[in-house]
Every structure is written in C-alpha cells, then in structure tokens.
Amino acid sequence: MPDPFDCRSGLAPLPEVLLDRLRQADEVLVLTGAGVSAESGIATFREALTGLWARFDPAQLATAEAFQEDPARVWSWYEWRRAQVLRAEPNAAHRALADWADRQGRLRLVTQNVDDLHERAGSRDVIHLHGSLHEPRCFDCANPLAAPPPVGAEAQLLAPPTCPLCGGLARPGVVWFGESLPEAALATAWALAERCNLCLVVGTSGLVQPAASLPVVARQQGATVIRIDPQPAADFQADWQLLGAAGLILPALLERL
Ligand code: APR
C-alpha cells in the first residue's frame, strides 16, 4: 500500500490511476462511521461522552444491561444525542455521497451511524448496520414507538416513555454491544462487499465487527479499497489512504470524476 496521501490542508495531487479507479468503478460500496458526521458537529462515538456521561465508557451505556440497571441514564444519553442530531445539518461529506450516488448510479451506502444525516442529505436506501436513534421501540415487546419531542441542548435525566401495549419501557432503536445486527441489513452489506469493485471507507476507526470486515471481504475479492480519515491506520488493509476530513476530500474527489 502506498504511503497515505496527506490531504489535511487540501486535496493532495492524486495519481491518475487512483482517479481512474474512481471513474471506472461501476459497483461502489461506501462504508461510513461517526467521522462522516463530525463536521456536522456530532461527536464521534468515542467522543460522545461529556458532561453527565463523561465518567462512563460508551460500552457502559450502549448495552441492554446498562439500560436495565439505569433506564433513565441510558435513555437520556441517547435522547441527548438524538436532539443533537436534530439540531445538526448534513455536511459536505453527506452531500457529496448523495450526489455521487445520483451521478454514478450503482453506489450503495452502508453506515454504522445511527443518525439520519445521510438521508437528510439525499442518500436513499441507506443501510443502517447499527440501527437508528429515530426508531425507539419497547424494550419488552419490541413494539415500535413514536420518538418523543426532542430534549434541549442541556443534558438532563428523564425516564423513558412506556409502551401503550405492554407497559414496558421505551429503548433506543440502536444495536447495543452484545446484540445482533439487523439480519437483512447485514446480509445486504455482505453481498455488496462480495460484488463491489470499489469500496470507500469513510470516518470509521474500524474497531467494531462485523462492519470492520466489510472492506476486508471487498479487498479479498479484488475491489479497490480507499480509506478517508484524518488519522492514518497502520493495520488497515487499503489500497489507498487519504488523510483528511471527509467534508474536504469527498467533494474534491467528486469534482474530479
Ligand atoms: N472526516 C473523516 N473521518 C473523521 C473525521 C472527519 N472530519 N473526524 C474524525 N474522523 C474519524 C476518526 O479519526 C475515527 O477514525 O472518524 C473515526 C470515528 O471513529 P469512532 O468514534 O470509533 O466511530 P465509529 O468507527 O463509527 O464506531 C463504530 O462503534 O461503538 C460502536 O456503534 C458504535 O457505530 C459505532 C461503531
């Protein structure tokens, strides 16, 4: 793998072979993580612990056990994050991916994010591997529940609503550690990894399985893998690494297609 291209102060001159790969790709898989929403002001997953929650590790909040231990604490953290998303706007990275799909046609977007910024930027058929902040359901009977009015910017502890069918507590519609990913979403993502000829990996630390294996599967079957992130990843198997913010790099790449 060539040395990473440092695009942190503007798009570095990129080899024509890389740009040709982008232009010629006819089955594109894009995998995004929290970094693609960072320029919308949404803390990445491992930054989202400030204020009331600063003393917790994400894994202490993003589990069914944590919810059962203290429903108000876990529900409040997700409601604070959902309200943050509702106040945010999609950024240039979200818009570039939506425009790319409109122009390129066979581009599918798989995200680990639980926000709806890809959809609000115009992306369609987004595959959410880790669920959504906007689809709460009953912890006991899984009955889908309406999201309550968003909370304010100040973190506050509030009890989750109850299910009108069984009286159970509302839980966030996200996939918690130790829970299975939505089967249909995962099956579609694997199929895309198996057949794509270009895989863009944008704004993810690649720490969490099985999402982190998608680019590995893609590369094993011959796809070109391009990683976009301000931080280099020594152990990440990519053909190219573009170091920089997604909101700077993706629009610049789109202009060169
Ligand atoms: N542009 C691109 N990448 C960025 C930007 C940016 N402007 N800002 C930060 N990043 C990168 C960081 O360098 C990091 O590599 O985004 C990545 C965010 O990593 P994480 O916070 O670990 O988020 P993510 O990879 O999405 O986490 C995966 O872990 O805990 C679970 O369910 C949770 O979906 C989440 C999953």
Side-chain angles (χ1 to χ4, degrees):
M1 174 175 66
D3 290 340
F5 290 88
D6 193 338
C7 307
R8 287 173 283 203
S9 53
L11 196 67
L14 298 177
E16 275 305 306
V17 63
L18 188 161
L19 296 174
D20 284 345
R21 288 285 172 86
L22 293 171
R23 293 178 189 123
Q24 291 157 12
D26 54 13
E27 289 275 355
V28 181
L29 165 61
V30 181
L31 172 67
T32 65
V36 81
S37 296
E39 291 154 88
S40 296
I42 304 297
T44 62
F45 187 81
R46 282 156 187 78
E47 291 166 356
L49 295 178
T50 56
L52 272 179
W53 300 286
R55 66 181 189 280
F56 297 105
D57 175 88
Q60 286 180 297
L61 290 170
T63 66
E65 294 72 22
F67 181 81
Q68 287 174 303
E69 182 188 322
D70 190 333
R73 178 194 297 156
V74 174
W75 174 258
S76 302
W77 181 49
Y78 282 94
E79 279 300 278
W80 175 75
R81 290 173 64 197
R82 184 170 70 87
Q84 196 185 38
V85 167
L86 291 173
R87 288 193 299 272
E89 291 298 327
N91 65 59
H94 297 109
R95 290 192 298 272
L97 289 171
D99 294 348
W100 197 325
D102 289 345
R103 186 182 307 182
Q104 205 269 0
R106 299 176 69 82
L107 181 150
R108 290 301 305 272
L109 184 49
V110 176
T111 188
Q112 302 170 88
N113 298 340
V114 292
D115 64 49
D116 60 347
L117 295 174
H118 281 307
E119 288 87 346
R120 285 164 54 193
S123 289
R124 292 183 295 278
D125 304 326
V126 178
I127 296 165
H128 282 266
L129 292 179
H130 295 167
S132 168
L133 286 169
H134 306 281
E135 295 167 4
R137 63 177 187 268
C138 175
F139 185 85
D140 293 334
C141 73
N143 173 40
L145 299 171
V151 298
E154 290 308 307
Q156 51 186 303
L157 280 181
L158 61 161
T162 53
C163 170
L165 294 186
C166 76
L169 294 178
R171 57 158 286 174
V174 303
V175 177
W176 279 330
F177 287 103
E179 293 186 323
S180 305
L181 275 62
E183 280 181 28
L186 189 54
T188 304
W190 284 133
L192 291 166
E194 293 284 359
R195 72 163 191 264
C196 68
N197 45 33
L198 173 67
C199 178
L200 284 183
V201 183
V202 187
T204 178
S205 58
L207 295 174
V208 172
Q209 295 294 353
S213 295
L214 290 170
V216 176
V217 167
R219 197 155 190 258
Q220 281 170 348
Q221 55 82 359
T224 296
V225 176
I226 299 173
R227 180 178 188 271
I228 296 172
D229 194 302
Q231 301 303 323
D235 56 348
F236 186 83
Q237 293 304 309
D239 296 284
W240 312 87
Q241 283 204 68
L242 309 182
L243 299 187
L248 171 109
I249 292 175
L250 284 171
L253 287 181
L254 192 60
E255 281 172 18
R256 286 160 172 77
L257 292 195

